[in-house]
Amino acid sequence: MSAEPAVGRRTWAAPLGLLLGVALVAQPRLARAQLRTCVEVAATPAETDPLTRLVRSEIDRHPTHRAVTGDCESMLTVEVIDLGPGGGKWITGRIATQVPHRERVGGDGLAPAVERLVTVVLHNDPLILRGPESQSWLVRQERAMALHSTAHYGLETYELAAPVGGGLATLPGVALSLLREVDQVSIGVRLAGAFDPGGDRATLHLAAQFDAQIEATFYFRPVSAFTLFASTLVGLDYQRFEGPAPLDGPGASGVATGRGLAVTARLGVEALRTSDLRLVAFVDLELPTFASRDPDHGVVDQWVPVASLGAGVLF
């Protein structure tokens, strides 16, 4: 005899959306005339002149600035950094006293990287911003996300462990993710599933778990090839249990499901950030906001937190 009830009587219709609306407390203000901007390039002798002409051309495309060779109101400094076969080539730009911005020179060549660099750097020129010192960290991140962000796809494998029925259930799992990264933060979505291929209904065990989550990540060293990171994940958690059903009589077994909102904390390391294929290792602690209960058949009646250890790649 078996039963397959849904745990609880309420239907969770948790929408997978993270409210990240940020009010802009300072808007860009155009100067009365284009800011006269000089260019200084640090590169090899063969690259200096072509790169200087390219940077000046990009400056002239923007309505707020104009490239000049004298009587400067603003100074844009561009440096080419070649890290060799393993690290690739990068360009770094700084205007006035702002924090440098770095762009990787990809397979599409130098010109697209210069275009992205100049767009971000000129937008952050303090001479065309109203009160930049008053902008909060969240506002700066929102502006940077709107101007420039990089998309990454992720593939993870992990081992899930959960205390169930007086023992420790372990399940292998896989996950897919999509995130957009800018500066020290990234925002993404993650779909994950873990399964127990050989469970025995004679004892209560966690047969499967699925997660659909929104993820926010903070990188401690975003411009380094190796960094620690911390993430918060919020989303829908679905758990499937199999085991004895004591309310149905001796020897009965059943299946029960639990679902609801769960919050996950993640700590990890990310390596090879200067390459197109990054390596990730992490440990998760997931805390459901619900207890899994089966009042009809008695298959399960407990709160089931989950810990995971895994690794993956971003590309």
Side-chain angles (χ1 to χ4, degrees):
M1 181 176 181
S2 64
E4 190 169 351
V7 175
R9 294 300 186 184
R10 290 181 296 176
T11 300
W12 291 86
L16 292 180
L18 189 62
L19 298 178
L20 295 176
V22 179
L24 292 176
V25 296
Q27 296 293 331
R29 174 175 57 89
L30 294 181
R32 294 178 182 175
Q34 292 175 311
L35 290 173
R36 297 185 299 275
T37 306
C38 293
V39 176
E40 182 179 272
V41 170
T44 64
E47 292 178 316
T48 299
D49 287 343
L51 181 56
T52 301
R53 291 194 297 269
L54 183 58
V55 172
R56 287 176 176 169
S57 175
E58 287 297 330
I59 290 174
D60 289 338
R61 294 177 57 193
H62 291 262
T64 55
H65 294 73
R66 176 167 56 91
V68 297
T69 57
D71 192 19
C72 311
E73 294 179 297
S74 192
M75 173 66 73
L76 173 60
T77 303
V78 177
E79 181 182 6
V80 178
I81 303 173
D82 193 341
L83 300 179
K89 180 179 287 188
W90 297 76
I91 55 172
T92 299
R94 179 204 299 266
I95 198 162
T97 59
Q98 297 302 295
V99 175
H101 179 73
R102 181 177 296 177
E103 283 286 343
R104 181 181 177 88
V105 180
D108 51 355
L110 185 63
V114 170
E115 179 181 358
R116 296 191 298 267
L117 178 77
V118 171
T119 298
V120 174
V121 173
L122 294 189
H123 188 88
N124 291 323
D125 190 338
L127 293 179
I128 65 166
L129 296 177
R130 180 184 296 113
E133 66 280 354
S134 67
Q135 294 177 353
S136 68
W137 180 86
L138 284 176
V139 170
R140 294 196 302 271
Q141 297 303 319
E142 190 275 339
R143 289 177 58 248
M145 183 73 77
L147 278 173
H148 173 71
S149 59
T150 305
H152 297 283
Y153 299 93
L155 176 63
E156 302 170 0
T157 61
Y158 61 94
E159 189 74 12
L160 177 153
V164 178
L168 187 66
T170 58
L171 295 78
V174 295
L176 299 174
S177 61
L178 169 64
L179 61 87
R180 295 198 68 88
E181 177 186 345
V182 59
D183 195 16
Q184 285 190 275
V185 300
S186 68
I187 303 295
V189 293
R190 178 176 181 265
L191 298 175
F195 309 89
D196 180 2
D200 182 5
R201 288 197 179 185
T203 58
L204 176 63
H205 63 280
L206 180 63
Q209 175 164 315
F210 300 93
D211 292 284
Q213 300 164 310
I214 299 291
E215 178 178 6
T217 302
F218 178 84
Y219 302 96
F220 291 91
R221 300 179 62 189
V223 298
S224 174
F226 178 92
T227 183
L228 298 173
F229 68 85
S231 303
T232 299
L233 300 93
V234 180
L236 186 65
D237 177 25
Y238 175 90
Q239 297 175 331
R240 179 184 174 92
F241 301 89
E242 295 180 357
L247 300 184
D248 290 342
S253 63
V255 174
T257 61
R259 58 187 178 273
L261 191 69
V263 179
T264 302
R266 170 177 289 194
L267 292 176
V269 295
E270 188 173 305
L272 302 181
R273 286 176 56 83
T274 57
S275 69
D276 293 329
L277 184 67
R278 304 178 180 184
L279 302 180
V280 178
F282 59 88
V283 58
D284 289 352
L285 177 60
E286 181 174 332
L287 303 177
T289 61
F290 60 95
S292 295
R293 293 188 174 93
D294 178 18
D296 296 327
H297 308 280
V299 174
V300 64
D301 184 7
Q302 68 172 101
W303 179 61
V304 184
V306 171
S308 302
L309 180 66
V313 294
L314 289 172
F315 51 91

